[in-house]
């Protein structure tokens, strides 16, 4: 018998089954043959929150959570952050290889020439309340692009897919900047094709009456590095949303809106905003031990700490710390950094955090940089969504061409009532409110 197999004995029937092990996994569908009788549906796996289930085979991003390793298409994140621009990394994630000089020139040209938004987008935006969360405006506006590009539904046409991919990458900063200007009541700024991806984003955010916006090169590069670090992270909550919604063959604007909605939650991309709120709540270095005590007693979480996959350190957090130094060289030191460093120092010595393998994640320092650069905390998750769009699209494209993928449709273990007697409305008793 091959060594790469798993032998299972079903003690209900004393029957033995041998299943192949491939790439460290058994196929859940191979368990279906394990039955107690002809009427039995067959054995299923139960895995709430996908704690131990691979939902796809992927060649986009590799993570070794124990080793603290993150690679895009085989290149370590540290190397890409040091040597590449964000659009170069976007090309890598989408096409599998780093671009040649001329490929990159064409790619940058193409993305740059898709940054303009259809004027109707302005009208959607104007409909939002002045205090709407920029992330909610972004999600809605991306979904609304589906109305502007109805041909995007032809997802099986590779040329059409690529056009929508370029549009989404090009327009994401434009929508993000529009949502920011809307919340301030400032006029929207049109893209400037002379600028790089990050510079143009800064231009659309902050240009006032000057004829030409000139970005600080250190801050623009820092933003570009942050974009690289956030570009993909394999099968996280939002990538899973992208694949799941995309698996129904919804168009990429709607699938991207769903992914962005998943990102907005405080347990995912919303964490960077929560970190800043937490640092504000702590107020000063002296209050850190008391705050940690509160967390250990079960009152809230240390935001920006912990990760489902990284149980050693998050390699992105290291690069972010370095980037923070460069940014503070220009902007001056964000006083919240001292609180954060103290929090990290105490937490990393504390048994509670050590035994649970809770380390700072990408969100712990990114918010402090964003604030120093001039972003409001409400914009932080939007800053995450811009580069992550590339990852979502790479995952979406991979899913669509994978012959093993179908519409994503998990199973359940039903634990509710069965075949109840119907009771006429006048005979029903009130349902206790808390039951829902
Ligand atoms: C990221 C996160 C959702 C991962 O969650 P997870 O893999 O489901 O981990 P669990 O919630 O099972 O955590 C395991 C244990 O560590 C504790 N824990 C996890 N993150 C914690 C945090 N940030 N602060 C305090 N305790 C934490 C849990 O309470 C749990 O303790 P227990 O075993 O005593 O019950 C979680 O760590 C978290 O909420 N972090 C804060 C939000 C954040 O920074 N998100 C950004 C992720 S990039």
């Amino acid at each position: 018998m091959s060594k790469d197999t798993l032998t299972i004995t079903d003690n209900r029937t004393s029957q033995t089954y041998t299943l192949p092990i491939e790439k460290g996994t058994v196929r859940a569908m191979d368990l279906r043959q394990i039955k107690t009788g002809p009427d039995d549906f067959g054995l299923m796996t139960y895995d709430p929150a996908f704690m131990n289930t691979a939902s796809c085979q992927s060649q986009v991003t590799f993570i070794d959570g124990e080793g603290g390793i993150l690679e895009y298409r085989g290149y370590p994140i540290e190397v890409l952050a040091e040597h590449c621009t964000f659009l170069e990394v976007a090309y890598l994630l989408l096409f599998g290889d780093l671009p040649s000089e001329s490929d990159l020139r064409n790619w940058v040209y193409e993305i740059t020439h898709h940054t303009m938004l259809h004027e109707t987008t302005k009208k959607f935006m104007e409909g939002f309340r002045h205090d709407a969360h920029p992330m909610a405006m972004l999600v809605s506006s991306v979904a609304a692009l589906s109305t502007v590009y109805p041909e995007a539904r032809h997802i099986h046409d590779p040329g059409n897919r690529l056009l929508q991919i370029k549009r989404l990458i090009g327009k994401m900063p434009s929508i993000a900047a529009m949502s920011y200007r809307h919340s301030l009541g400032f006029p929207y700024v049109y893209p400037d094709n002379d600028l790089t991806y990050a510079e143009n984003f800064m231009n659309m955010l902050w240009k006032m009456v000057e004829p030409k916006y000139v970005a600080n090169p250190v801050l623009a590069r820092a933003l570009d590095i942050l974009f690289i670090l956030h570009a993909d992270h394999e099968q996280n909550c939002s990538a899973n949303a992208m694949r799941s919604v995309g698996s129904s063959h919804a168009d990429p604007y709607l699938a991207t809106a769903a992914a962005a909605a998943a990102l907005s939650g405080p347990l995912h991309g919303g964490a960077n905003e929560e970190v800043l709120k937490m640092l504000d709540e702590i107020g000063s270095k002296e209050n850190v031990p008391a705050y940690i005590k509160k967390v250990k007693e079960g009152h809230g979480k240390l935001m920006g700490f912990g990760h489902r996959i990284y149980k050693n350190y998050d390699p992105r957090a290291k690069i972010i710390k370095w980037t923070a130094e460069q940014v503070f060289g220009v902007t001056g030191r964000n006083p919240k950094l001292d609180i954060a460093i103290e929090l990290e120092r105490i937490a990393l010595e504390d048994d509670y955090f050590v035994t649970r393998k809770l380390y700072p994640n990408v969100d712990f320092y990114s918010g402090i940089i964003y604030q120093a650069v001039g972003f409001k905390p409400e914009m932080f998750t939007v800053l995450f969504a811009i580069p992550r769009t590339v990852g979502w699209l790479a995952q979406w494209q991979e899913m669509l061409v994978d012959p093993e993928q179908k519409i994503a449709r998990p199973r359940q273990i039903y634990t509710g009532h069965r075949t109840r007697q119907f009771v006429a409305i006048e005979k029903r008793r009130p349902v206790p409110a808390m039951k829902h």
Side-chain angles (χ1 to χ4, degrees):
M1 189 187 301
S2 158
K3 269 174 91 179
D4 293 324
T5 54
L6 176 73
T7 300
I8 301 172
T9 302
D10 183 347
N11 294 323
R12 299 171 300 176
T13 58
S14 302
Q15 276 223 47
T16 295
Y17 304 82
T18 299
L19 314 183
I21 298 177
E22 266 177 69
K23 303 183 178 107
T25 46
V26 288
R27 284 185 179 254
M29 276 304 284
D30 284 349
L31 297 173
R32 188 68 74 73
Q33 59 182 305
I34 303 179
K35 297 180 179 201
T36 50
D39 294 340
D40 185 355
F41 179 75
L43 202 63
M44 290 195 301
T45 53
Y46 177 53
D47 189 10
F50 299 121
M51 295 293 286
N52 196 36
T53 293
S55 63
C56 62
Q57 304 203 31
S58 180
Q59 301 186 350
V60 181
T61 293
F62 172 80
I63 301 177
D64 173 348
E66 292 297 328
I69 297 169
L70 168 61
E71 292 175 0
Y72 295 160
R73 301 280 188 185
Y75 292 98
I77 191 70
E78 294 82 356
V79 176
L80 296 173
E82 188 180 345
H83 298 288
C84 295
T85 61
F86 168 67
L87 285 185
E88 204 175 344
V89 171
Y91 185 100
L92 170 71
L93 282 166
L94 284 158
F95 303 108
D97 283 305
L98 284 165
S100 67
E101 256 182 330
S102 66
D103 287 340
L104 181 60
R105 210 174 315 115
N106 291 338
W107 175 243
V108 171
Y109 180 90
E110 290 282 326
I111 300 297
T112 308
H113 286 78
H114 280 295
T115 48
M116 284 280 268
L117 290 166
H118 193 279
E119 285 293 292
T120 50
T121 316
K122 238 158 83 174
K123 295 194 184 120
F124 309 140
M125 194 62 72
E126 276 155 11
F128 295 124
R129 293 174 63 128
H130 69 93
D131 57 353
H133 195 289
M135 200 55 195
M137 291 193 261
L138 179 107
V139 169
S140 315
S141 305
V142 172
L145 287 184
S146 168
T147 66
V148 183
Y149 305 110
E151 77 278 13
R153 75 181 59 146
H154 302 304
I155 52 149
H156 296 299
D157 169 359
N160 190 307
R161 273 205 307 268
L162 184 57
L163 174 61
Q164 312 314 327
I165 287 173
K166 288 175 192 166
R167 281 180 173 151
L168 268 159
I169 299 172
K171 292 178 202 316
M172 214 60 181
S174 312
I175 295 177
M178 215 180 228
S179 70
Y180 173 72
R181 307 273 300 194
H182 180 78
S183 64
L184 295 176
F186 288 167
Y188 307 132
V189 174
Y190 286 94
D192 179 341
N193 286 357
D194 294 341
L195 304 178
T196 67
Y197 193 77
E199 286 170 348
N200 179 42
F201 179 46
M202 294 163 83
N203 158 65
M204 291 187 289
L205 287 167
W206 294 316
K207 182 170 182 286
M208 297 307 277
V209 292
E210 66 274 35
K212 182 108 186 151
Y213 180 82
V214 182
N216 179 298
V218 175
L219 302 187
R221 178 63 188 147
L223 198 57
D224 211 50
I225 291 177
L226 286 160
F227 282 173
I228 292 172
L229 300 185
H230 286 89
D232 193 49
H233 214 229
E234 52 118 309
Q235 306 313 312
N236 52 80
C237 178
S238 56
N240 183 58
M242 182 82 190
R243 280 180 175 262
S244 182
V245 174
S247 78
S248 76
H249 295 172
D251 80 43
Y253 298 101
L254 298 174
T256 302
L263 186 75
S264 72
L267 296 188
H268 190 7
N272 49 17
E273 188 178 335
E274 297 301 316
V275 172
L276 259 272
K277 285 189 200 152
M278 177 185 75
L279 296 177
D280 276 339
E281 192 189 329
I282 296 173
S284 75
K285 252 170 84 169
E286 295 67 48
N287 299 334
V288 167
Y291 193 85
I292 291 202
K293 186 166 172 278
K294 231 174 63 177
V295 168
K296 282 164 59 179
E297 286 166 359
H299 304 297
K301 281 185 171 173
L302 206 52
M303 297 313 286
F305 259 70
H307 200 276
R308 172 65 59 80
I309 305 289
Y310 294 121
K311 299 298 174 193
N312 182 334
Y313 66 90
D314 182 336
R316 300 167 302 173
K318 270 194 178 169
I319 305 168
I320 285 193
K321 231 173 154 178
W322 176 87
T323 311
E325 298 302 332
Q326 315 304 307
V327 168
F328 297 151
V330 174
T331 63
R333 198 176 164 86
N334 186 336
K336 294 205 176 84
L337 185 66
D338 295 328
I339 308 176
I341 288 175
E342 182 68 355
L343 206 58
E344 179 180 352
R345 188 186 69 75
I346 299 187
L348 294 187
E349 285 173 357
D350 193 300
D351 238 29
Y352 175 96
F353 296 93
V354 173
T355 52
R356 287 170 177 78
K357 300 188 172 179
L358 300 171
Y359 293 88
N361 59 46
V362 69
D363 296 312
F364 191 64
Y365 286 105
S366 62
I368 303 173
I369 304 183
Y370 291 146
Q371 195 176 50
V373 173
F375 292 103
K376 295 193 300 180
E378 298 81 60
M379 277 299 284
F380 293 175
T381 316
V382 170
L383 292 168
F384 193 156
I386 294 171
R388 185 54 63 85
T389 299
V390 168
W392 294 329
L393 291 167
Q395 300 282 345
W396 171 71
Q397 170 111 299
E398 190 178 59
M399 181 269 303
L400 284 177
V401 299
D402 180 346
E404 279 201 311
Q405 291 293 339
K406 293 170 174 232
I407 185 164
R409 206 297 187 186
R411 293 275 171 182
Q412 65 168 6
I413 302 172
Y414 181 69
T415 59
H417 296 285
R418 289 293 319 279
T419 332
R420 298 170 85 182
Q421 278 295 314
F422 180 78
V423 181
I425 193 158
E426 62 280 6
K427 294 197 177 139
R428 291 176 211 159
R429 275 182 282 161
V431 180
M434 288 310 290
K435 215 172 157 188
H436 301 289

